[in-house]
Amino acid sequence: MIYREKLKIMREAENYLQPISYNKEYKIALGFPNIYKIGMASLGFQIVWALLNQNPKVSCERFFLPEDETEPLTVESQRSIKSMSAIAFCVAFEMDYINILKILSRAKIPLLRQERDEDTPLIFVGGAITLINPFALSEFVDFFILGDGEEILDWVESILVRDNSKDQKLKLLSESPYIYVPKYPKDFYQKHIVKDLSPYLCHSLITTPYGEFGDTILFEISRGCGRGCRFCAAGHIQKPFRLRKPIIGENLPLYHSYGIVGAAVFDNPYSKDLCKKIVEEGAKFSLSSIRLETIDEEKLLLMKRGNIKTVTIAPEAGTERLREFIGKKCQDETIFNAIDLSYNEGFRKFKLYFMIGLPGETEEDIKGIINLITILSVKYPKAHFTPSCGSFVPKPHTRYENCPMDNEKSLKSKLDIIKKALNKHKNIEVSFESPRMAKVQAILSRADETLGRDYLLWAFEKGWTEAGREYRERIDKVLYDIEKSEFVWSKLKV
Ligand code: SF4
């Protein structure tokens, strides 16, 4: 089926919770640099789309990366993104950077900003990723919005709609400390923080059966995290921790299914009452993960009534020593108690997140992951355990931004040890992210303007492996030989 037809079908299946007018003069195409299914499951993307459409002079249409090699078109009117007045991207993961290049290329837009003329739409980027390291993308993007979109987007739109040249608009935008315009660089940038989120939309306005989480309203229960684990980028860049209070029938519509978005959902004291209300209304809900120490019988019962089938927890490291070291203070006993309580409440599926390659990690910590999961699998033979092992990426702005990354060979061998020891048990299935892809993620989160440009262009033409080979020396400098590197991201105060 051709992409245009496919988009029409997806559009017809969408349910709008609020009418939106698309007849306004200034047109922005807002893209999520991944496929429709993933993009529509991003609450940040959905909220930015709603915010952009609030401006009386602006219509914002969505677009995604087509699954085939075709030109990206907007969902709402299936028009070319090149014909729009401006193009925005909402970016949540470094691995999607390459998809921005694919989208621009398929839309026949020059990849490098300096090669675009006055007729090419201005291209800007927002989203969580801009607070980690926007500099790696700076040669492809006209400007970046740093931080929360609420409040500032309206000001950005007021400049975009003016009858000025692209350059005049960029100059005006560069006057804000929260906007990074690569053409008009400054010494420092700040992130924009909305202290009180209560006046703003907290939920998605479009539901679709074609989204990753199915036909669900996503809503935000909190932004940031109050825990401050040393390794965690989300916890550091989204400070301060802000609680929200969605109320069904008031600022949250009544629906049959909800996806609750927040770093540690039950750290919001109000969330338990809200989950109660959801199940009393006969609806179901899902949660990303639950903090081990907040698990109790009452919450487990609510999760069961809310139709949650899997208990997902994140011990992160295999031993108490390493957990303490990385700021995730959690005893083995807490993990065993949480699983025991969940099992007694009838849960049989457990997903546990771990990281390998953490600073201070020893062989004992790898054995610790194996021991922990083996004990659980023997104690609960009727349960199914999925330990998910990610490779640690030392992200900018965290307490470990100065730490070298563990190398690919070492990560691979640790992963092999874990897989070999655990996959022989029938009720364990190790899931993992390839260390090679974690390395790509690390490069993109730490690259400066020139390495970001060169590495991405090479990867776009020839693939990640070739790009890694071509720029090996420069990559080693940002990943392993860190004392000699200058951190480009220190210009950004988060
Ligand atoms: S790892 Fe989880 S609990 Fe820790 S700071 Fe990050 S989001 Fe918060």
Side-chain angles (χ1 to χ4, degrees):
M1 191 187 304
I2 58 169
Y3 187 58
R4 188 181 297 274
E5 296 309 315
K6 207 170 165 185
L7 272 184
K8 279 186 191 162
I9 292 171
M10 292 197 282
R11 168 90 161 99
E12 272 161 28
E14 289 177 341
N15 172 29
Y16 280 59
L17 303 176
Q18 208 171 285
I20 299 278
S21 155
Y22 292 109
N23 300 324
K24 292 173 271 174
E25 202 181 318
Y26 194 88
K27 310 275 185 207
I28 298 181
L30 173 69
F32 191 91
N34 210 310
I35 58 173
Y36 179 93
K37 183 179 167 179
I38 296 178
M40 285 305 287
S42 161
L43 177 59
F45 173 75
Q46 288 233 23
I47 285 185
V48 168
W49 168 80
L51 288 171
L52 286 169
N53 269 311
Q54 275 171 8
N55 188 299
K57 292 183 181 161
V58 175
S59 291
C60 175
E61 301 189 17
R62 293 158 294 141
F63 70 94
F64 302 91
L65 177 75
E67 283 169 54
D68 50 24
E69 298 285 302
T70 52
E71 183 191 355
L73 303 170
T74 62
V75 179
E76 284 77 1
S77 62
Q78 294 92 51
R79 74 175 81 178
S80 156
I81 62 168
K82 204 180 173 181
S83 68
M84 306 292 270
S85 321
I87 297 173
F89 286 98
C90 195
V91 190
F93 310 107
E94 287 91 354
M95 301 310 291
D96 285 343
Y97 286 3
I98 195 83
N99 293 338
I100 295 180
L101 273 62
K102 287 181 190 167
I103 285 169
L104 296 181
S105 161
R106 290 187 206 166
K108 305 217 170 356
I109 294 172
L111 299 185
L112 295 168
R113 60 182 164 77
Q114 279 168 343
E115 290 173 4
R116 298 180 202 134
D117 59 22
E118 190 61 28
D119 293 333
T120 316
L122 274 170
I123 295 175
F124 63 104
V125 165
I129 207 74
T130 60
L131 294 178
I132 294 186
N133 178 21
F135 305 98
L137 264 184
S138 64
E139 294 299 315
F140 307 99
V141 173
D142 293 306
F143 69 95
F144 297 82
I145 300 174
L146 310 168
D148 298 324
E150 293 90 351
E151 293 170 3
I152 197 168
L153 273 173
D154 200 44
W155 178 76
V156 169
E157 286 175 299
S158 74
I159 291 185
L160 290 178
V161 298
R162 289 186 193 181
D163 194 15
N164 286 348
S165 69
K166 275 170 71 173
D167 195 51
Q168 285 167 326
K169 290 177 189 178
L170 287 176
K171 262 193 197 140
L172 284 168
L173 288 163
S174 73
E175 285 168 15
S176 162
Y178 313 117
I179 308 279
Y180 165 41
V181 181
K183 187 173 179 189
Y184 297 109
K186 296 191 284 267
D187 291 339
F188 292 105
Y189 303 92
Q190 288 174 36
K191 77 168 170 183
H192 183 253
I193 301 169
V194 176
K195 288 194 184 117
D196 178 14
L197 291 164
S198 56
Y200 298 101
L201 183 73
C202 67
H203 61 88
S204 50
L205 284 185
I206 305 174
T207 62
T208 166
Y210 293 113
E212 174 113 304
F213 304 126
D215 189 9
T216 289
I217 291 185
L218 302 169
F219 70 85
E220 192 176 53
I221 191 90
S222 58
R223 196 173 295 178
C225 181
R227 303 272 177 168
C229 304
R230 295 190 179 110
F231 59 89
C232 176
H236 282 84
I237 61 171
Q238 290 196 323
K239 280 187 243 165
F241 183 37
R242 288 149 291 169
L243 302 178
R244 302 201 76 168
K245 198 169 180 190
I247 301 173
I248 293 180
E250 288 184 26
N251 58 353
L252 182 64
L254 180 59
Y255 208 61
H256 58 84
S257 176
Y258 296 95
I260 309 180
V261 179
V265 169
F266 288 114
D267 279 3
N268 184 336
Y270 166 70
S271 54
K272 204 158 70 176
D273 286 343
L274 179 61
C275 292
K276 249 187 228 161
K277 180 80 183 153
I278 290 174
V279 294
E280 278 164 14
E281 293 288 350
K284 54 184 186 173
F285 67 89
S286 60
L287 307 163
S288 41
S289 91
I290 170 165
R291 284 283 307 189
L292 276 155
E293 53 275 54
T294 62
I295 290 183
D296 60 29
E297 282 163 13
E298 197 186 359
K299 286 176 196 134
L300 288 164
L301 198 62
L302 278 172
M303 286 161 62
K304 221 166 101 181
R305 289 178 65 199
N307 205 31
I308 291 178
K309 304 276 185 233
T310 304
V311 173
T312 304
I313 53 175
E316 312 289 4
T319 59
E320 288 177 0
R321 180 202 65 83
L322 188 55
R323 269 179 240 131
E324 171 85 29
F325 183 69
I326 61 173
K328 191 107 191 183
K329 292 182 189 114
C330 161
Q331 312 290 313
D332 288 346
E333 201 189 329
T334 315
I335 302 172
F336 292 131
N337 283 344
I339 302 285
D340 204 49
L341 270 181
S342 314
Y343 190 86
N344 292 337
E345 285 301 331
F347 288 93
R348 294 293 178 266
K349 287 186 184 167
F350 299 93
K351 183 157 192 171
L352 297 97
Y353 283 103
F354 293 96
M355 281 186 289
I356 53 169
L358 280 161
E361 180 190 76
T362 66
E363 252 179 60
E364 287 311 304
D365 302 300
I366 301 299
K367 282 187 201 153
I369 297 176
I370 297 169
N371 290 343
L372 194 72
I373 300 294
T374 308
I375 292 171
L376 290 171
S377 94
V378 172
K379 189 167 177 201
Y380 306 102
K382 290 195 179 135
H384 189 268
F385 295 91
T386 310
S388 166
C389 300
S391 301
F392 172 68
V393 173
K395 289 273 172 101
H397 312 295
T398 66
R399 294 280 289 278
Y400 296 137
E401 65 176 8
N402 290 323
C403 290
M405 187 171 176
D406 198 359
N407 69 62
E408 202 183 319
K409 200 172 154 201
S410 151
L411 290 166
K412 208 168 162 299
S413 113
K414 289 170 190 170
L415 202 50
D416 286 344
I417 294 171
I418 295 171
K419 283 195 286 182
K420 200 171 160 206
L422 293 182
N423 277 343
K424 63 184 177 204
H425 299 268
K426 270 194 192 141
N427 60 345
I428 302 177
E429 187 185 356
V430 178
S431 83
F432 58 93
E433 177 208 40
S434 114
R436 180 159 298 178
M437 285 299 109
K439 185 177 168 184
V440 170
Q441 194 194 130
I443 297 165
L444 294 173
S445 72
R446 306 179 66 90
D448 64 7
E449 296 91 334
T450 50
L451 179 58
R453 175 197 63 203
D454 297 345
Y455 181 66
L456 278 165
L457 283 176
W458 205 272
F460 174 69
E461 292 293 335
K462 302 186 177 179
W464 294 120
T465 309
E466 285 301 316
R469 263 192 214 121
E470 182 66 23
Y471 299 107
R472 190 170 169 179
E473 224 172 278
R474 285 156 72 187
I475 288 169
D476 284 357
K477 208 172 153 197
V478 296
L479 293 194
Y480 312 121
D481 195 8
I482 284 178
E483 300 77 16
K484 290 183 195 154
S485 303
E486 275 184 22
F487 297 144
V488 62
W489 62 79
S490 57
K491 288 187 216 165
L492 173 58
K493 302 290 166 215
V494 303

